Amino acid sequence: MARHAWVKQGIPARFRLGVLEESAAGRFSFVDKNTYPVRHFTTANGVRVVPGGSSVRAGAYVARGVVCMPPMYINAGAWVDEGTMVDSHALVGSCAQIGKRVHLSAAAQIGGVLEPINASPVNH
C-alpha cells in the first residue's frame, strides 16, 4: 500500500460527502462538489496560470515555477513539482505525482486514484 494510503482513501471519500454547489466565473456557470473548490493563485505563489480555461483544485500541490497552459486540469491531491509545464488539454489526476522540470505535452493524461477507481497513485 502507498506510503500515505490515508490520502488516497480520503480523496474519494470527500467527493462522496460533498454537496453540489453553484459558482460562476464571468458569464460561465459551474456546478461541482464543494469539498474541493478551485484553487486561486497569486503572484506570491510563483505559479503561472495562463488565461483560457485551466483549473487546479484545492488540495493539489503546485510548486513555484510551474506553468499551466490552457486548458489544463490538476485534481485534488496531485503533486506537480517545480519547473514543470502542464501543457494544453493535459490532465493530472488525483494523487498523481509529477517530478521537477517535466513537460506534460498537450493532451497528456496522468491518471490518479479516481481514474480508474481504486487505482494506485501514479508516479512520473
Side-chain angles (χ1 to χ4, degrees):
M1 193 162 256
R3 190 171 81 184
H4 299 291
W6 60 272
V7 173
K8 177 185 165 192
Q9 295 164 351
I11 288 173
R14 281 193 66 186
F15 274 113
R16 285 190 301 274
L17 295 173
V19 296
L20 292 177
E21 183 176 83
E22 296 177 17
S23 63
R27 60 188 183 138
F28 299 102
S29 64
F30 306 93
V31 177
D32 198 6
K33 294 282 184 123
N34 65 350
T35 49
Y36 294 106
V38 173
R39 183 170 167 192
H40 297 277
F41 292 94
T42 67
T43 54
N45 296 117
V47 174
R48 181 177 165 209
V49 181
V50 178
S54 296
S55 292
V56 178
R57 281 202 188 264
Y61 173 79
V62 181
R64 296 182 70 76
V66 169
V67 176
C68 300
M69 298 301 291
M72 50 69 60
Y73 182 74
I74 300 174
N75 209 346
W79 175 285
V80 182
D81 215 339
E82 63 189 42
T84 289
M85 175 183 278
V86 183
D87 216 333
S88 59
H89 300 280
L91 167 106
V92 180
S94 57
C95 291
Q97 299 173 22
I98 309 300
K100 293 180 181 179
R101 295 176 298 282
V102 172
H103 179 186
L104 288 181
S105 295
Q109 296 185 2
I110 309 300
V113 297
L114 300 177
E115 307 93 6
I117 291 178
N118 296 323
S120 296
V122 178
N123 298 301
H124 290 279

